[in-house]
Amino acid sequence: MGNLTANEIKSFLAKGSGTYQDGDGLLLRVTGVGVGQWKLRIQHEGKRRDIGLGSAKLVSLASARAKAAEARKAIREDGRDLLAEKREAKAAAVTFREAALALHEARQHQWANGKHSGQWIATLETYAFPLLGTKPVGNVSAGDIIAAIAGVWTAKPETGRRVRQRICAVLDYAHARGWRSTEAPARSLAAGKGLPKQPHGRNHTAMPYDELPMFLTRLRASGGVWGRLALEFTILTAARSQEVRLAKWDEFDTKNAVWTVPAAHMKMKREHVVPLSPQALAVLKSAMAVRLDGTDLVFPGTNGPMSDMTLLAVLRRMKEPVTVHGFRSTFRTWVAEKTDFPGEVAEAALAHQNPNEVERAYQRGAMLEKRRKLMEAWGAYCEAGSEKVRPNKQRRGEPVSA
């Protein structure tokens, strides 16, 4: 026999708050007038856990005791994990499509613009929903992801990588919401494990770094002014084209050779400081020499900021089958193959966020001086090519201080 009575429960519910023990782990938790929940408190794998047994308005004291007895037997004698079973049952009721739409809605305040928001969900509708849409989000496996994106992975490599990332984002979100008992199988897929090798070749987006010095010589001799200067500056700073196209003169401190990109111009919405090499400063000097009145833009377009197509048009006129963004890959490959700079310095130069929170806190100082040495080496290489570059006594694998 327990400690509580039916009349006591009525009075507790009328009070509106409190926790009342019936015994052997069964308790009534009242959170408002007439609002109470039956809970069974147990110890499982060394941790205290509460199992919900229903509303006090719908479940009587006798029924709550019966449910508690069944749960104790299932846990103690049968070895079942009732909370895990509840999570799995909940996950089984939520489809991948429902989880994706929920995440899309939750991120509405984060989208840079409506076009980006539409593209995000449109890629899932096209490539993920046909196979995964009606599948319980808790049951989506790495094999399911591979099957869903196998076609686009090789036909449209960049799109394939984006779809993979968005599928895994949905699964991570589902895990956080309790709709999925395990985390997304993104760790093994992040490196493409289990997926066919994506095609690489001269027609891919990035220019081989050994062709870059000659390309820049040709670029400087090509026609045009603003598009040519903006493209060269983009390459020398390894920046995203938007950051360059929106750059204003007050963002630059030429005396200290730094460019402070405002958070509003950055993909991750965090201010980013870029150390400027002598070659990058020379481009700014050329831009200043032809600066237009009536605009603060360093590389102005016809009416306001320059279009991204202006930079691409420079490449097409030069018959180069690469993209502007691909030069960031060129830079990253050069760092990995031709220098001894640590990878985290290169990632910081590209304004990539370290996924490891501990390392991210450790690197909060932005490693400005280490990045300055890297960008100076990159500028020198772009100018005329160079032999393997080594940072001052910094060997690959050594820890990098903030």
Side-chain angles (χ1 to χ4, degrees):
M1 182 67 67
N3 299 325
L4 303 178
T5 67
N7 287 334
E8 285 177 331
I9 291 169
K10 288 181 181 179
S11 67
F12 296 151
L13 290 172
K15 288 181 180 179
S17 65
T19 300
Y20 308 95
Q21 305 284 344
D22 185 57
D24 202 9
L26 179 62
L27 58 87
L28 173 66
R29 182 171 295 153
V30 180
T31 57
V33 176
V35 181
Q37 291 286 327
W38 290 108
K39 301 284 185 179
L40 176 63
R41 180 160 293 172
I42 63 167
Q43 287 287 333
H44 184 75
E45 295 180 348
K47 296 181 181 179
R48 192 184 76 178
R49 306 169 77 179
D50 289 347
I51 299 174
L53 301 179
S55 167
K57 294 183 68 174
L58 302 176
V59 179
S60 68
L61 174 58
S63 296
R65 287 171 175 166
K67 285 188 172 187
E70 291 178 6
R72 291 189 201 100
K73 179 180 181 299
I75 295 166
R76 296 171 181 172
E77 298 180 19
D78 302 335
R80 291 165 56 191
D81 186 340
L82 298 185
L83 288 176
E85 291 176 9
K86 279 193 171 186
R87 286 195 300 268
E88 291 170 3
K90 187 176 182 180
V94 180
T95 66
F96 177 85
R97 187 177 192 278
E98 290 169 339
L101 293 175
L103 173 58
H104 185 255
E105 178 64 27
R107 286 185 171 180
Q108 281 303 320
H109 69 287
Q110 299 179 11
W111 303 118
N113 52 59
K115 181 180 179 181
H116 187 199
S117 172
Q119 288 176 339
W120 193 93
I121 198 67
T123 54
L124 292 179
E125 289 176 342
T126 302
Y127 302 107
F129 289 174
L131 191 63
L132 305 179
T134 59
K135 191 177 184 67
V137 70
N139 295 343
V140 175
S141 66
D144 294 325
I145 299 174
I146 292 172
I149 67 176
V152 70
W153 182 254
T154 53
K156 300 177 180 179
E158 181 63 25
T159 300
R161 290 190 292 272
R162 289 178 180 176
V163 176
R164 176 192 59 186
Q165 185 274 332
R166 290 165 188 174
I167 290 174
C168 290
V170 172
L171 298 186
D172 282 336
Y173 177 73
H175 177 64
R177 290 293 302 271
W179 301 335
R180 182 178 173 83
S181 60
T182 59
E183 295 186 58
R187 307 303 169 255
S188 61
L189 288 176
K193 293 179 180 178
L195 288 162
K197 187 175 181 180
Q198 290 185 317
H200 294 281
R202 186 62 186 85
N203 292 325
H204 200 47
T205 57
M207 176 178 289
Y209 61 78
D210 57 357
E211 298 180 16
L212 187 57
M214 183 60 70
F215 166 75
L216 282 176
T217 299
R218 291 173 50 223
L219 175 64
R220 291 164 186 148
S222 66
V225 178
W226 299 118
R228 172 175 56 80
L229 290 174
L231 180 58
E232 182 176 359
F233 192 75
T234 300
I235 295 170
L236 290 170
T237 56
R240 296 181 178 89
S241 64
Q242 172 177 279
E243 299 154 17
V244 174
R245 291 184 293 103
L246 299 181
K248 295 183 178 181
W249 285 108
D250 61 6
E251 297 171 16
F252 293 89
D253 178 356
T254 54
K255 180 179 179 180
N256 294 304
V258 292
W259 169 29
T260 303
V261 186
H265 297 176
M266 296 297 298
K267 180 179 179 180
M268 301 303 293
K269 302 305 178 187
R270 293 193 307 273
E271 183 180 274
H272 181 53
V273 179
V274 181
L276 300 173
S277 66
Q279 291 75 18
L281 288 170
V283 176
L284 287 180
K285 184 177 180 180
S286 296
M288 177 61 78
V290 290
R291 181 176 179 177
L292 296 180
D293 294 331
T295 180
D296 292 329
L297 293 167
V298 179
F299 306 104
T302 303
N303 295 299
M306 179 182 296
S307 166
D308 198 30
M309 294 305 296
T310 300
L311 301 182
L312 185 61
V314 174
L315 291 170
R316 294 299 172 260
R317 284 198 302 271
M318 297 178 69
K319 301 186 185 305
E320 290 291 345
V322 296
T323 66
V324 178
H325 194 79
F327 286 106
R328 284 167 58 83
S329 296
T330 302
F331 167 78
R332 187 64 182 88
T333 303
W334 172 81
V335 174
E337 297 185 2
K338 296 291 289 184
T339 84
D340 282 337
F341 284 94
E344 54 264 42
V345 177
E347 292 300 298
L350 292 168
H352 287 164
Q353 177 170 299
N354 190 324
N356 186 300
E357 291 187 12
V358 175
E359 291 181 5
R360 191 161 66 241
Y362 182 64
Q363 296 170 0
R364 197 163 289 157
M367 302 179 288
L368 183 60
E369 290 310 308
K370 293 179 176 63
R371 290 195 290 117
R372 183 180 297 281
K373 291 182 175 63
L374 173 59
M375 299 316 294
E376 288 174 353
W378 174 241
Y381 177 82
C382 290
E383 182 70 29
S386 66
E387 294 303 315
K388 190 168 187 174
V389 181
R390 288 180 170 81
N392 294 345
K393 298 183 180 179
Q394 176 75 48
R395 293 185 296 275
R396 190 186 305 277
E398 289 186 340
V400 177
S401 60

